[in-house]
Amino acid sequence: MHYSKTQDNLFTSYFLALIPILIFGFYKNGLYLYLNNLISFKTMLLPVYFYAISIIIGLLTSYILKANYRLFILNSLIICASISLNTNYLIYPILLFVLLFISNILSQKCHFNQNSIIRLFLILALLLNLYRYENIAELTNVFNYNLFDKFLGFTKGGIASTSLFLNLSALIILSFNKFYKKSIALSASLSFFIVSLVLAILTSSPLNIVFEGHIYYFFIFIASDIYVSPSTKEGMLIYGFIIGLLSAILSKYLFYEGAVLSIFLVSLFIPLINILINKKYLKSS
Amino acid sequence: MVKLIELKTKDIPMPSQIINKTMTDEIYLVLPRDAILTVKKNSYVKIGSKVCQNYNLTSPLSGFITSITKINTINGSYPALKIINDFQENKTHNPKSIAKLTKEDLTIAFDYFHLKIPSSPIIINAIDDEPYVYTNNYYLLSNYEKYLELLDKIATIYNQEVIICLKETDPQTINNILTLIGMYPQLKLKVLPPLYLLGQNKILKEYLELPSPSLALTTSMLDNLLSYLRYHEESSSFLLTIKTETQILFVRLLNGTPIEYLQDILPSSKDYLVYANGLMQGHEISLDNLVLTKDINSLIFTPKTTLPKEGRCLNCAACSNICPVGLNPKLFSNPTYLSKARLQCLKCNLCTYICPAYINFNKYLKEEE
């Protein structure tokens, strides 16, 4: 006898949570700009191109590695939603394929968060163009967005990862699944919120960073990786807390990649967190 | 306080009648491997006749012993006495009335079953943990007038309250108990939510916040106690839940009945996997030459399907979160942890049940055994 939900349901939850985010990405960076005559019809389809090519690369890699295709498609889409719109669209698929391939092989030998390292290396495809995360409207500031617009996601960041509102909605959708590691997402978000708020007050800097949607996107989708995490709830809370703390510090210097770099760095210490927590288990038993 | 969950099951209609299959032509009285027999081949035995010197083993029927043969039980292969029923129902003892039971009778019986003399409320556990298994509930349902009378006697003699615990999903038994319980002021009925593991006496006592030395009896134990007090022998029959794809049956059998005797009510085992003692804590068995003994409380027939392969661990911590005693099954691969964990493990199988990657944690516990 088995519980009715399995890991397949977790994949489904992730896809369901991602759909509104991806649709918003297309609206914000494509349709909305096109309707306001800021971009051409062809450029409007750029977000869709990134989504489609990510799915194809995910499928191809899983086929070659004979691995779970749903996992690879999901990871490709999660990464894709967080990259800049200005990423070189010709280099991106090649780089994504190579990174997915290498990281998958490496992950069998050492423990680290694959999506975070792939996402970090994808900056190479962005550097080939201009290191810029704004779309044309954000660059020229034509719409003069207010705070509520920014909460909805009309702010600079990844293709589809900027909406704090949609990211929080995704967290709610995912939290309904028993196997989603909400402890990581929640502890990371909470510690990031508090520490960055304190830092902003202490340094008298603007509070914008505290409400940046793309940072919370990393916590909800990348830090709470399907496979790579500490194996206990206490471990997850500690893991998330350190990620949030480090992200708050690193994001001061690396606005777009601070959080994802933190996730990668902290994920290298997962075995250590496991050892520390398991010591407690071994003692208590 | 342990964390308890409810297991979801499909609704299957429950029968109101128990099928009586105690009139079997022959039974196999299972012998411990070091048993010293007091009977020989072709000896005649009555119901309740002792057949063994070093064990309290009695014949459940009257008839002739025809052979000593090897049979299969759910616990392995054992020698057994084959007794052919003469249907004379000759008994060694006449039943004693419950009203005439004395404190001394009860003390002897409690001592026989290694039960503590009640010094705090007594719990009667009629809860079945396993999905689709209702054996404990049907023990109570099958003979509730006599059980209530006995429990009232125990409550009066020891001046203790008796709490009968039932699941809220057993309305028929609740109704029947309610019709009579008013006559016995020291008996209380407690209707509990259908949470998994409440069928375990230790967990039930914790749930009811009763002191751990409280006496807790399952209804099958109560059946044995009643039989011992009345006939000076343990009950020779037992109840069995049989669950097929479409129906649930309750059968009363004699201890040692060969499975062939149930052929008319069982589906063909070729098309099904058969589990003994439940889908959670039980195990798969073969019905070939099986003899049904009191160790078995249910047979569950499930269609033959390919079980999903074990996947990669998600590190989701669902196994450690669900463990009612707070173990971390992920550490079962560590021999030091495993040996310590085995002392605490309830073998409830919830870790394997919940695992989204179908990891069978039970295999570690079995290997160790």
Side-chain angles (χ1 to χ4, degrees):
Chain A
M1 185 156 173
H2 199 273
Y3 182 56
S4 55
K5 304 268 189 310
T6 64
Q7 60 180 332
D8 287 344
N9 298 84
L10 184 59
F11 287 132
T12 311
S13 297
Y14 266 102
F15 282 118
L16 281 175
L18 262 181
I19 289 168
I21 289 174
L22 297 175
I23 292 171
F24 172 76
F26 169 64
Y27 175 74
K28 179 209 155 199
N29 291 307
L31 190 63
Y32 188 58
L33 302 181
Y34 174 72
L35 292 174
N36 284 286
N37 299 319
L38 289 167
I39 53 170
S40 65
F41 181 78
K42 199 176 134 195
T43 321
M44 179 188 80
L45 296 174
L46 197 57
V48 180
Y49 161 77
F50 277 115
Y51 302 159
I53 200 75
S54 302
I55 292 172
I56 294 166
I57 296 297
L59 258 175
L60 185 70
T61 325
S62 68
Y63 180 76
I64 294 168
L65 290 169
K66 292 189 173 71
N68 185 344
Y69 72 95
R70 294 179 76 180
L71 175 70
F72 275 76
I73 293 173
L74 179 66
N75 282 345
S76 308
L77 277 176
I78 287 174
I79 295 163
C80 169
S82 72
I83 59 162
S84 165
L85 187 69
N86 305 307
T87 301
N88 188 307
Y89 60 85
L90 292 175
I91 300 296
Y92 170 75
I94 302 164
L95 203 55
L96 180 65
F97 173 76
V98 173
L99 290 169
L100 274 174
F101 197 86
I102 294 172
S103 71
N104 192 267
I105 292 165
L106 282 179
S107 72
Q108 287 161 13
K109 292 183 178 168
C110 47
H111 220 64
F112 62 89
N113 186 303
Q114 279 184 64
N115 288 352
S116 62
I117 192 71
I118 295 172
R119 170 65 184 79
L120 282 170
F121 272 101
L122 281 172
I123 302 172
L124 292 172
L126 177 62
L127 291 174
L128 285 170
N129 287 2
L130 275 172
Y131 181 76
R132 219 175 57 198
Y133 277 83
E134 300 91 343
N135 64 26
I136 189 76
E138 288 148 4
L139 198 64
T140 52
N141 208 11
V142 283
F143 295 124
N144 202 11
Y145 295 126
N146 61 27
L147 197 66
F148 184 68
D149 293 327
K150 287 184 179 173
F151 172 71
L152 290 179
F154 292 95
T155 181
K156 55 197 175 180
I159 296 177
S161 63
T162 53
S163 173
L164 183 56
F165 167 71
L166 288 177
N167 289 335
L168 292 176
S169 310
L171 178 62
I172 293 167
I173 294 171
L174 286 165
S175 296
F176 279 108
N177 192 300
K178 210 179 182 73
F179 308 120
Y180 173 67
K181 296 160 186 170
K182 55 179 174 287
S183 326
I184 296 176
L186 288 172
S187 61
S189 305
L190 209 65
S191 66
F192 172 80
F193 181 84
I194 295 166
V195 176
S196 58
L197 189 70
V198 171
L199 284 178
I201 295 166
L202 288 177
T203 56
S204 312
S205 47
L207 291 174
N208 286 8
I209 197 165
V210 181
F211 304 102
E212 275 304 329
H214 79 269
I215 294 178
Y216 293 96
Y217 175 86
F218 288 133
F219 297 153
I220 294 164
F221 285 97
I222 295 185
S224 320
D225 188 85
I226 291 182
Y227 291 109
V228 180
S229 73
S231 58
T232 55
K233 203 171 180 180
E234 299 96 314
M236 287 181 199
L237 288 169
I238 295 167
Y239 176 67
F241 174 80
I242 302 171
I243 287 174
L245 185 82
L246 198 60
S247 301
I249 299 163
L250 292 181
S251 297
K252 296 280 280 175
Y253 310 100
L254 290 162
F255 184 75
Y256 299 104
E257 281 88 19
V260 80
L261 178 62
S262 309
I263 293 166
F264 171 67
L265 292 176
V266 182
S267 75
L268 295 173
F269 293 94
I270 288 173
L272 184 69
I273 296 172
N274 277 337
I275 288 170
L276 290 173
I277 297 293
N278 292 342
K279 257 187 189 172
K280 187 208 85 173
Y281 268 97
L282 286 165
K283 268 187 187 173
S284 69
S285 72
Chain B
M1 183 77 177
V2 293
K3 303 166 279 182
L4 300 175
I5 62 153
E6 186 183 339
L7 302 179
K8 296 269 178 273
T9 52
K10 286 177 198 163
D11 280 338
I12 295 182
M14 304 270 287
S16 53
Q17 294 291 314
I18 294 170
I19 303 167
N20 190 359
K21 284 275 184 184
T22 53
M23 299 304 279
T24 171
D25 295 337
E26 61 190 32
I27 62 115
Y28 292 86
L29 191 58
V30 180
L31 301 168
R33 290 196 176 105
D34 57 344
I36 303 165
L37 294 179
T38 54
V39 288
K40 288 176 185 165
K41 195 178 167 185
N42 298 326
S43 305
Y44 183 79
V45 283
K46 288 180 181 179
I47 298 174
S49 297
K50 242 187 132 181
V51 297
C52 186
Q53 237 178 53
N54 50 345
Y55 287 95
N56 198 0
L57 212 60
T58 53
S59 171
L61 49 75
S62 59
F64 285 96
I65 296 171
T66 57
S67 61
I68 300 174
T69 175
K70 260 205 164 173
I71 50 98
N72 294 330
T73 70
I74 59 159
N75 297 322
S77 208
Y78 283 91
L81 290 177
K82 184 177 177 181
I83 307 173
I84 303 292
N85 199 352
D86 68 355
F87 298 99
Q88 296 300 309
E89 303 300 308
N90 291 328
K91 291 174 182 174
T92 51
H93 295 92
N94 289 322
K96 191 170 183 175
S97 150
I98 294 173
K100 287 180 183 168
L101 289 175
T102 62
K103 190 171 184 176
E104 199 189 351
D105 293 329
L106 286 172
T107 310
I108 293 167
F110 278 42
D111 194 43
Y112 176 82
F113 290 107
H114 307 291
L115 300 171
K116 286 175 188 161
I117 301 296
S119 56
S120 50
I122 303 159
I123 313 292
I124 301 302
N125 191 346
I127 296 170
D128 294 278
D129 277 334
E130 290 285 343
Y132 310 112
V133 178
Y134 301 89
T135 310
N136 279 333
N137 175 35
Y138 267 70
Y139 264 116
L140 192 59
L141 188 64
S142 65
N143 203 5
Y144 63 96
E145 296 102 334
K146 284 272 182 286
Y147 290 143
L148 291 183
E149 200 185 337
L150 172 66
L151 291 173
D152 182 60
K153 192 79 189 173
I154 295 173
T156 312
I157 287 176
Y158 293 106
N159 196 24
Q160 292 296 338
E161 208 174 49
V162 174
I163 306 167
I164 302 165
C165 298
L166 278 166
K167 274 197 292 189
E168 64 192 27
T169 46
D170 303 326
Q172 200 183 348
T173 320
I174 295 170
N175 282 341
N176 288 5
I177 297 285
L178 282 176
T179 54
L180 287 184
I181 203 163
M183 290 161 58
Y184 308 109
Q186 278 179 292
L187 306 189
K188 300 275 178 290
L189 177 65
K190 192 112 188 164
V191 179
L192 299 168
L195 299 172
Y196 181 58
L197 291 181
L198 282 183
Q200 294 203 11
N201 290 340
K202 190 182 158 215
I203 306 281
L204 181 65
K205 280 192 267 185
E206 269 184 60
Y207 187 83
L208 296 174
E209 294 175 357
L210 286 168
S212 67
S214 308
L215 177 66
L217 299 174
T218 57
T219 42
S220 57
M221 186 68 205
L222 190 64
D223 191 53
N224 273 330
L225 187 68
L226 179 65
S227 171
Y228 189 84
L229 287 164
R230 297 192 73 204
Y231 302 102
H232 294 285
E233 60 175 291
E234 286 184 44
S235 175
S236 55
S237 68
F238 67 103
L239 276 182
L240 182 70
T241 303
I242 297 173
K243 191 250 167 194
T244 64
E245 254 186 299
T246 50
Q247 61 175 345
I248 292 179
L249 304 170
F250 299 100
V251 188
R252 188 172 275 281
L253 296 167
L254 285 184
N255 187 22
T257 305
I259 192 81
E260 291 79 32
Y261 188 59
L262 300 182
Q263 250 171 2
D264 55 329
I265 54 169
L266 293 180
S268 160
S269 64
K270 282 176 192 166
D271 310 325
Y272 294 93
L273 292 175
V274 188
Y275 289 87
N277 294 340
L279 294 170
M280 292 291 288
Q281 297 172 49
H283 55 92
E284 197 191 324
I285 55 160
S286 158
L287 294 187
D288 295 338
N289 301 321
L290 182 75
V291 167
L292 300 165
T293 57
K294 282 182 169 183
D295 301 327
I296 187 165
N297 70 10
S298 62
L299 286 176
I300 297 183
F301 290 76
T302 62
K304 277 185 179 165
T305 46
T306 326
L307 293 172
K309 277 185 185 171
E310 278 192 15
R312 179 182 165 194
C313 175
L314 266 63
N315 287 306
C316 61
C319 53
S320 54
N321 286 344
I322 205 166
C323 179
V325 288
L327 294 172
N328 184 357
K330 257 220 91 174
L331 298 177
F332 281 175
S333 51
N334 176 331
T336 322
Y337 184 75
L338 182 63
S339 58
K340 288 176 182 175
R342 283 194 69 237
L343 301 172
Q344 282 173 273
C345 181
L346 300 174
K347 296 187 177 65
C348 64
N349 240 351
L350 277 173
C351 46
T352 304
Y353 165 79
I354 201 81
C355 181
Y358 292 101
I359 294 170
N360 181 8
F361 293 103
N362 208 14
K363 70 183 174 198
Y364 296 106
L365 296 161
K366 277 185 181 167
E367 273 169 23
E368 181 72 9
E369 277 168 357

